[in-house]
Amino acid sequence: MSEATIASAGRTRARERAEARTATRSRVSWRRARRLVWSIVGVVVSLVWLFPVYWMLNSALLPNAVLEKLTPTFLPFGGSFDNFVAVIQGGTFLPALGMSIAVAFLTVGVCLVFALLAALAISRFRFRGRTSFLLAVLLVQMLPAEGLFIAQYKLMSGLGLINSVLGVSIVYIAAVVPFTIWMLRGFVAGIPADLEEAAMVDGLSRSQAFLRITFPLLAPGLVASGVYAFLQAWNEFTVALVVLQDTSSQTLPLWLQGFVQASANRATDWGQVMAASTLVAVPVIVFFLIVQGRLTSGLVSGAVKG
Amino acid sequence: MAVETRVIGQRKRRLRYTPYLLIVPSVGIIALALGYPLVWQAVTSMQQYGLRQQFGQPADFVWFDNYIALAADPELWGVVVRSIVFCVVTASVTMVIGVLLALLMNVVAKPVRIVIQITMLLAWAMPVVAAMTVWTWLFNWRRGVVNWLLTSAGLDFQDHNWLIEPLSFYFVAMLIIVWMSVPFVAFSVFAGLTQVSGEVIEASEMDGATGWQRFWTIIVPMVRPVLAIVLLLQLIWDLRVFTQIHILQGAGSIVNETHLLGTYIYMLGTGASDFGMASAVSVFILALTIALSWFYVRSMLKEDES
């Protein structure tokens, strides 16, 4: 190879490198511009999506006389908490809240324990009937609850559990457990059995290894599943509609629906109805936002890589 | 030596029974609250089970008479067709918007992503009944903000009643369900997207793949498992939709023209007190759901095996 060709090859390479640099630079600025545009789109979409929630709060703070005006009021200036006070003083809200809390916590607690055990069985053991069990879990979670509630009503009335926390919780647990098993299965499978075995080599028993190593790693999965179960129990309407018939044993969704209907008999007081909706929604939203951080934390990947 | 073998043998035996012990609680509660009603329903669907049977008269076996009566009933077929169309359209719209939002979350600046996520969480966390109340207020024919906005935009929507026409009733129902279900899709798909490595995307960008090509050839195949399960759940949830339709019907539509399968069963079971017919329709939904999801169940089982 002559010196000339080497030199020219070097020049070409240098030119290529320079071109690549400018290309990278223009790509970076193009990417920035694109990101800005998409960010604006994102904000607009968020605002649209948020509007119903905002409108609920806005209307809840305004007196009915303002809501009855032809032109809507978009900001709650001069608003008050009168609607909330009126709703709570109605006297039926707090018992319904208590009922909902009892049902939701019973459902979440029992569901998590049952589902975690089953998820461990599925992902840590190979046993006869495992596939049938998985199949059953998958099919059961697809059963339309709306097609079963009449039979479930008959069952609960046979067991004497109409209007009771236990009765409605049993139905909720059974409805939520399959999906929770499936969800937790993914999380358990994501934690390598090696970790547990390594701990056992270091002298921990199987259950100790599970409690100290696997369990903390499962926390995000348990939180996510728990949130799912909580929401189902808190929001469920159909089964509650047939199983909780007494006004004194209503959960919040039933109470709210009853409140709307009672209000509709007079001219609907939308301010109070929206205040009632807010009262039903706020506990869920607060709970959701608190656990949100833990939902997304990457505890598992850190442990395996670290 | 012999002692050691015995100990290992005991351990093995214990391990052999462990998975069964672990799944017993879940199996038990599912058998009680879903299995028993399912069997009861299958039996009742072949009986003449009306008001009189609810007051203790023995039910006569009529075998498939209920099914034959239903198959010959044009009203039921109308409900079936409407339910399927509604389910497919709603699930598709939800999927498209959900995937677009997940992609959007992936390309925006971090603060915007957090804003979108919080918005999605708020919409997701809204209890169904509270959301329904808000949306009926938004679409209220007298003072609803939707009519006001459309009228301000120059369209004639003064005092327009959205719920009186079945088609626009279903449109409103779809809008509400999409609003509520998109967050779940967006979060799941976004979680899947974060698993797609940035390097692969960048490499494809270098190779000159357009956004469209990138989406179909790299992103979709990589998040396909997530897409499949999310789509499946959407279809199932939208097929058995009850609460939203039931409440919207209560907000002032012509009930008989707007039934979907869920409310149709409810009407048969509680309105007409015909448990036999209600059970037969329920068994039909059940079969439909299982047929719909069988393919996915199989593919998920395969995924579990690998």
Side-chain angles (χ1 to χ4, degrees), chain B residues 165-181:
Chain B
E165 281 277 317
L167 213 58
S168 96
F169 172 90
Y170 288 127
F171 173 75
V172 173
M174 185 190 83
L175 209 62
I176 302 172
I177 294 168
V178 167
W179 181 77
M180 291 193 272
S181 340

Side-chain angles (χ1 to χ4, degrees), chain B:
Chain B
M1 188 67 183
V3 175
E4 219 168 88
T5 341
R6 211 171 60 220
V7 170
I8 289 171
Q10 270 174 359
R11 231 195 127 84
K12 275 219 173 113
R13 228 183 351 267
R14 227 175 56 210
L15 277 179
R16 211 170 62 213
Y17 293 119
T18 314
Y20 296 107
L21 289 177
L22 291 176
I23 63 172
V24 158
S26 300
V27 171
I29 198 150
I30 291 171
L32 173 69
L34 293 174
Y36 172 78
L38 202 62
V39 173
W40 183 89
Q41 191 131 272
V43 172
T44 309
S45 76
M46 290 189 259
Q47 290 175 334
Q48 173 93 43
Y49 202 117
L51 256 186
R52 259 190 309 162
Q53 280 69 30
Q54 292 187 42
F55 289 107
Q57 292 273 329
D60 295 326
F61 253 91
V62 294
W63 296 107
F64 294 100
D65 282 7
N66 287 331
Y67 292 97
I68 293 166
L70 285 173
D73 182 1
E75 195 191 350
L76 175 81
W77 286 109
V79 172
V80 168
V81 170
R82 262 178 281 165
S83 296
I84 292 175
V85 172
F86 182 82
C87 160
V88 170
V89 171
T90 308
S92 317
V93 174
T94 310
M95 284 304 287
V96 169
I97 298 181
V99 170
L100 286 177
L101 270 175
L103 290 170
L104 189 64
M105 280 198 247
N106 217 18
V107 295
V108 296
K110 201 177 174 202
V112 178
R113 180 158 72 230
I114 292 171
V115 168
I116 299 177
Q117 282 175 333
I118 291 177
T119 310
M120 289 291 122
L121 280 172
L122 286 174
W124 192 7
M126 274 290 270
V128 182
V129 180
M132 290 310 299
T133 319
V134 177
W135 279 94
T136 43
W137 170 223
L138 288 171
F139 277 96
N140 181 255
W141 62 276
R142 274 180 64 241
R143 294 289 178 264
V145 73
V146 174
N147 279 353
W148 180 82
L149 279 174
L150 291 171
T151 310
S152 310
L155 301 162
D156 181 27
F157 274 91
Q158 186 80 45
D159 289 353
H160 175 75
N161 190 334
W162 289 82
L163 303 179
I164 212 81
E165 281 277 317
L167 213 58
S168 96
F169 172 90
Y170 288 127
F171 173 75
V172 173
M174 185 190 83
L175 209 62
I176 302 172
I177 294 168
V178 167
W179 181 77
M180 291 193 272
S181 340
V182 155
F184 171 70
V185 178
F187 274 109
S188 313
V189 176
F190 179 69
L193 284 178
T194 54
Q195 307 291 316
V196 179
S197 83
E199 285 161 27
V200 178
I201 303 276
E202 239 165 70
S204 74
E205 251 171 51
M206 298 270 192
D207 292 342
T210 62
W212 188 248
Q213 285 172 328
R214 233 173 22 240
F215 177 70
W216 285 111
T217 56
I218 298 174
I219 295 177
V220 168
M222 282 179 129
V223 295
R224 201 164 53 197
V226 180
L227 289 178
I229 187 164
V230 169
L231 174 63
L232 163 71
L233 291 172
Q234 289 308 318
L235 285 172
I236 287 160
W237 289 336
D238 292 345
L239 185 66
R240 70 193 198 187
V241 57
F242 169 78
T243 310
Q244 293 90 336
I245 304 293
H246 180 70
I247 292 178
L248 268 190
Q249 285 180 337
S253 74
I254 301 166
V255 173
N256 282 332
E257 289 177 10
T258 50
H259 275 312
L260 294 184
L261 280 167
T263 51
Y264 192 64
I265 293 171
Y266 182 79
M267 186 272 288
L268 284 176
T270 62
S273 284
D274 192 342
F275 281 15
M277 286 294 211
S279 297
V281 183
S282 305
V283 171
F284 173 75
I285 287 201
L286 207 71
L288 200 65
T289 320
I290 289 174
L292 196 75
S293 51
W294 183 246
F295 169 75
Y296 290 105
V297 170
R298 255 191 14 205
S299 76
M300 280 206 287
L301 279 181
K302 250 182 230 151
E303 190 197 313
D304 173 70
E305 276 159 19
S306 64

Side-chain angles (χ1 to χ4, degrees), chain A residues 19 21 32 35 62 96 130 154 156 162 169 211 232 238 294 299:
Chain A
E19 271 169 11
R21 259 202 304 276
R32 257 194 216 132
R35 173 162 291 211
L62 293 169
R130 179 178 174 278
K154 289 294 283 184
M156 287 308 153
I162 295 292
S169 300
L211 278 180
Q232 297 301 310
T238 317
R294 267 193 275 171
L299 268 172

